[in-house]
């Protein structure tokens, strides 16, 4: 079987260093908000190019806490609107509604699957306070256009960078392309923990301090609580694991790019729609997504060749039961994408031999 993603093999590359880091945390006797987290936050901020990074429990919390912080800072209020792509993973939407804010869905570009920057402005109202571009699948959105719109209407730009660790837009990395950014370190990400984890990056000192306090029970000083906060902190063990893996992230991306380029250059089946890349260096290939008018048939065909594939994602947010109030709304581009997408195996440890087998199997599909 060619696995979609072999996490065991990925982490085995760094096993000795991970074990050493684990032992270091155990021996330290300090397991929450210690030196491992501080060091990783500093290193990750430097990697992204932001001034600050605040570790949190997971990627969803990262987005929730950014929005909550803006409310505490008086920049947003209940009922304000946040523009977000209509084909994102539901976490982007959940972060907005959990803060009693209103998601305003904007259709993506059918070729890149990213929010169509040309459709944003017509959705802006007096209640709009932010744009949340989602760097879906590992490719950054058109941030020059988005930031220009945000500046024109005095809006915050909150990147959902959960799938875009290390991705560039022109000369800047995801995490330093807007006012703030939320990352996930879910194990399957290009930079994945050995459990859950997340981080907020920003160059806004007040925002960083507010996020940190909110995620620590609303406390900026022990036993003193400024806010009605929550418990959302990146623990020492995961920070130590991530600190090891961050050193190798660029190499992981390099390997993924080689596989992606092989797919792009050698898949010749005219019934398959390949991903569109605005610029090769812009994409870190968290997933390699193709489209087929009969996805189920294609997936079964590949399974006969022992090739595992996944679907990112089968149901768009506006068709989820959780958001039944949108059930009558139509977002045809998103619906088409969600009906047709299929993710091929790709990872930093996938061999070119396996990659060639995937290509051969797709080219044989009829």
């Amino acid at each position: 079987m060619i696995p979609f993603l072999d996490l065991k093999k990925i982490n085995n590359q760094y096993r000795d260093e991970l074990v050493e880091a684990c032992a270091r945390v155990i021996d330290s006797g300090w397991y929450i908000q210690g030196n491992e987290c501080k060091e990783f936050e500093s290193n990750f901020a430097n990697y992204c190019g932001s001034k600050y990074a605040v570790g949190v429990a997971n990627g969803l919390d990262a987005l929730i806490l950014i929005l909550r912080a803006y409310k505490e800072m008086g920049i947003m209020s209940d009922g304000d609107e946040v523009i977000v792509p209509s084909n994102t993973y539901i976490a982007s939407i959940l972060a907005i509604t959990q803060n009693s804010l209103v998601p305003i869905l904007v259709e993506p570009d059918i070729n890149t699957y990213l929010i169509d920057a040309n459709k944003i402005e017509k959705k802006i109202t007096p209640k709009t306070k932010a744009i949340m571009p989602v760097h879906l699948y590992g490719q950054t959105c058109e941030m020059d256009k988005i930031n220009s719109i945000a500046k024109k209407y005095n809006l915050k730009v909150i990147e959902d960078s959960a799938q875009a660790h290390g991705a560039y837009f022109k000369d800047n990395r995801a995490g330093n392309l807007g006012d703030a950014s939320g990352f996930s370190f879910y194990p399957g990400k290009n930079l994945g923990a050995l459990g859950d984890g997340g981080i907020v990056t920003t160059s806004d000192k007040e925002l960083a301090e507010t996020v940190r306090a909110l995620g620590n029970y609303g406390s900026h000083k022990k036993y003193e609580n400024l806010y009605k906060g929550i418990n959302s902190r990146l623990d020492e063990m995961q920070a130590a694991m991530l600190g090891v893996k961050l050193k190798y992230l660029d190499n992981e991306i390099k390997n993924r790019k080689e596989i992606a380029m092989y797919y792009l250059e050698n898949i010749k089946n005219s019934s398959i729609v390949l991903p569109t890349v605005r610029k090769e260096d812009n994409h870190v290939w968290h997933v390699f997504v193709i489209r087929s008018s009969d996805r189920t048939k294609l997936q079964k065909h590949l399974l006969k060749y022992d090739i595992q594939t996944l679907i990112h994602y089968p149901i768009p947010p506006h068709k989820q039961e959780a958001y039944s109030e949108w059930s009558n709304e139509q977002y045809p581009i998103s619906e088409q994408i969600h009906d047709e997408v299929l993710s091929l195996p790709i990872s930093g440890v996938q061999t070119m031999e396996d990659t060639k087998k995937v290509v051969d199997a797709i080219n044989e599909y009829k």
Side-chain angles (χ1 to χ4, degrees), residues 124-313:
I124 293 173
T125 75
K127 296 287 286 181
T128 307
K129 290 297 190 295
I131 304 170
M132 184 182 287
V134 180
H135 305 316
L136 200 63
Y137 305 149
Q139 182 169 212
T140 55
C141 299
E142 293 181 284
M143 296 306 298
D144 49 359
K145 293 182 180 179
I146 291 170
N147 283 323
S148 177
I149 294 168
K151 184 177 180 180
K152 179 178 178 181
Y153 292 94
N154 193 29
L155 308 177
K156 294 297 182 183
V157 176
I158 303 163
E159 301 170 76
D160 183 338
S161 301
Q163 301 183 6
H165 315 69
Y168 278 93
F169 181 80
K170 297 184 177 177
D171 295 329
N172 292 315
R173 276 195 171 115
N176 188 35
L177 299 173
D179 295 289
S181 181
F183 287 86
S184 166
F185 298 127
Y186 180 79
K189 304 298 185 184
N190 290 16
L191 179 59
L194 276 70
D196 257 326
I199 207 163
V200 171
T201 59
T202 183
S203 291
D204 182 334
K205 184 179 181 181
E206 183 183 2
L207 179 68
E209 290 176 347
T210 307
V211 166
R212 190 177 297 282
L214 285 168
N216 187 35
Y217 300 96
S219 175
H220 68 299
K221 184 179 180 181
K222 195 168 185 179
Y223 301 129
E224 295 183 17
N225 301 77
L226 285 171
Y227 315 108
K228 297 173 183 176
I230 63 172
N231 176 14
S232 181
R233 303 174 296 203
L234 180 64
D235 70 71
E236 286 289 279
M237 193 67 76
Q238 296 305 335
M241 303 294 105
L242 289 163
V244 170
K245 297 180 71 176
L246 179 59
K247 296 183 295 184
Y248 302 103
L249 177 56
D250 286 343
N251 190 58
E252 164 85 15
I253 293 169
K254 177 177 175 291
N255 293 341
R256 285 174 174 268
K257 285 182 177 180
E258 290 176 359
I259 293 166
M261 290 306 107
Y262 190 87
Y263 281 152
L264 289 170
E265 292 169 2
N266 292 281
I267 293 175
K268 302 297 184 182
N269 193 319
S270 60
S271 70
I272 303 299
V273 179
L274 294 171
T276 298
V277 186
R278 294 195 313 271
K279 179 182 176 185
E280 190 271 335
D281 284 339
N282 180 45
H283 208 313
V284 294
W285 301 104
H286 171 57
V287 283
F288 189 96
V289 177
I290 60 174
R291 295 202 336 262
S292 170
S293 59
D294 194 340
R295 175 177 62 201
T296 301
K297 180 182 175 183
L298 174 59
Q299 195 168 35
K300 288 179 178 178
H301 168 82
L302 293 174
L303 197 56
K304 287 193 299 183
Y305 288 84
D306 288 330
I307 297 168
Q308 183 185 32
T309 57
L310 295 180
I311 299 170
H312 297 91
Y313 303 95

Side-chain angles (χ1 to χ4, degrees), residues 55-112:
V56 297
N58 54 68
L60 174 56
D61 279 4
L63 296 175
I64 288 174
L65 287 168
I66 291 168
L67 292 167
R68 172 74 189 281
Y70 279 134
K71 291 180 72 177
E72 296 291 351
M73 292 163 63
I75 293 169
M76 297 182 190
S77 302
D78 287 2
D80 283 341
E81 297 171 351
V82 178
I83 290 174
V84 66
S86 56
N87 65 315
T88 185
Y89 181 57
I90 201 167
S92 313
I93 310 292
L94 290 171
I96 298 168
T97 57
Q98 291 251 345
N99 277 290
S100 299
L101 301 168
V102 180
I104 302 298
L105 306 184
V106 172
E107 285 267 65
D109 183 312
I110 188 64
N111 298 306
T112 64

